[in-house]
Amino acid sequence: MSTQTSPEPQKPVRRITVPQIAARKGGAPIVSLTSYHAHTAAIVDRYADFILVGDSLGMVMHGMESTVGVPLDLMIMHGRAVVRGTRRALVVVDMPFGSYEESPAMAFRNAARVMKETQCGAVKLEGGARMAETIRFLTDRGIPVMAHIGLTPQSSHVMGGFRTQGRDAESWPVHEADARAVAEAGAFAMVLEGMVEPLAARITQAVPIPTIGIGASPDCDGQILVLEDMLGLNPRPPKFVKVYGELGNLIEDAVRRYAEDVRARAFPGEAQVYR
Ligand code: KIV
């Protein structure tokens, strides 16, 4: 008689779709986190409506000073890992700096690569009115686009750093025009990053697609955080981050105890060796 048990049947992949996210405008808040690798994505998948493979991975995973240096191939590699590790949430992959701004045709070529090679459900790109033509070009050709306005980290060199937007009410019409332009161009949702709360609330009221806030407003249609920030792995998290776990301390404690065990020849112990 065989002692082998049959493998667990694979759970079917049934992902939240782009139209389902778009339909959440004004409804139950949309939950989102970033993730860059399969194991964390599998955990996030159980709770998030969409997972963003953000180009923040350049800073978080690869120690870059900004997101400007992130290459397209790196986004595709991490995007694939997150899609493989998940079955429920919509996966959105960031288009990195330099991969879409030059022309709509260039944006399509690179976004199509991202969609084909990662099997993700949508891409995200930064920029308001100036990106409207590109957003229209992509959505008309089958590529769902999440827009990203307000503080756009890929433009941090032009902005002079990571600056909260809308502190001066005179700038509000520009941000509002950006929001209207990306919605009219066909974006299915937009990230509002690093902007004063009343401006984010006003934009949320004004546009017909969900707004996803990060350092924005509780009135946004959803919220997103960088996973490592909310897990306590960033030693200097931005003001808008609420830390939900102290993973940095947990990891340090585990590494310290492991080092002590190895030095004391207490690891590997009887349970960890093959006799
Ligand atoms: O790259 C990223 O993680 C992002 C989020 C901050 C929205 O764009």
Side-chain angles (χ1 to χ4, degrees):
M1 203 171 73
S2 165
T3 56
Q4 275 193 335
T5 54
S6 50
E8 284 264 307
Q10 279 246 319
K11 287 210 189 93
V13 175
R14 199 165 292 138
R15 289 188 191 276
I16 294 172
T17 64
V18 161
Q20 284 170 338
I21 296 287
R24 298 270 293 272
K25 176 73 193 172
I30 298 165
V31 177
S32 175
L33 283 166
T34 63
S35 183
Y36 319 124
H37 89 319
H39 285 184
T40 54
I43 298 170
V44 174
D45 193 42
R46 298 201 275 273
Y47 303 95
D49 298 307
F50 76 88
I51 298 178
L52 174 69
V53 184
D55 62 352
S56 51
L57 64 82
M59 299 161 86
V60 176
M61 298 219 48
H62 298 276
M64 297 176 183
E65 277 183 23
S66 78
T67 56
V68 170
V70 175
L72 185 64
D73 286 344
L74 198 60
M75 294 307 305
I76 290 175
M77 192 179 79
H78 286 285
R80 263 195 212 130
V82 169
V83 171
R84 284 193 204 114
T86 55
R87 2 197 94 251
R88 194 189 139 271
L90 172 71
V91 177
V92 180
V93 176
D94 253 344
M95 297 297 291
F97 178 70
S99 70
Y100 62 94
E101 302 88 334
E102 195 177 314
S103 66
M106 180 217 209
F108 180 78
R109 248 190 326 276
N110 286 328
R113 254 197 84 194
V114 170
M115 301 283 294
K116 276 172 183 288
E117 295 182 30
T118 69
Q119 306 274 297
C120 70
V123 299
K124 175 167 83 59
L125 52 81
E126 293 183 9
R130 70 186 164 89
M131 292 315 302
E133 186 192 352
T134 296
I135 293 171
R136 171 56 60 210
F137 194 87
L138 296 185
T139 52
D140 280 353
R141 288 161 180 76
I143 298 183
V145 178
M146 178 176 285
H148 181 156
I149 64 167
L151 195 172
T152 45
Q154 293 176 10
S155 311
S156 62
H157 292 298
V158 174
M159 290 176 161
F162 299 93
R163 292 179 188 281
T164 307
Q165 302 294 297
R167 286 201 185 280
D168 175 359
E170 278 172 18
S171 68
W172 287 17
V174 175
H175 296 292
E176 288 166 357
D178 277 343
R180 274 195 301 275
V182 297
E184 277 161 19
F188 70 94
M190 71 182 81
V191 168
L192 305 183
E193 178 169 358
M195 62 170 63
V196 294
E197 194 279 333
L199 173 59
R202 239 170 106 108
I203 289 176
T204 300
Q205 283 289 318
V207 295
I209 59 173
T211 59
I212 312 295
I214 174 163
S217 168
D219 286 353
C220 288
D221 299 294
Q223 301 293 331
I224 186 166
L225 281 177
V226 170
L227 181 66
E228 284 74 359
D229 285 350
M230 61 87 90
L231 290 179
L233 284 166
N234 181 348
R236 283 184 305 281
K239 170 187 159 69
F240 59 74
V241 172
K242 179 169 173 185
V243 176
Y244 286 86
E246 292 291 353
L247 235 63
N249 294 342
L250 276 179
I251 293 174
E252 179 155 0
D253 185 53
V255 172
R256 182 183 48 73
R257 288 188 292 115
Y258 165 75
E260 283 167 8
D261 276 1
V262 170
R263 291 195 177 106
R265 295 202 184 281
F267 175 83
E270 197 49 39
Q272 291 95 32
V273 294
Y274 301 98
R275 292 289 178 203

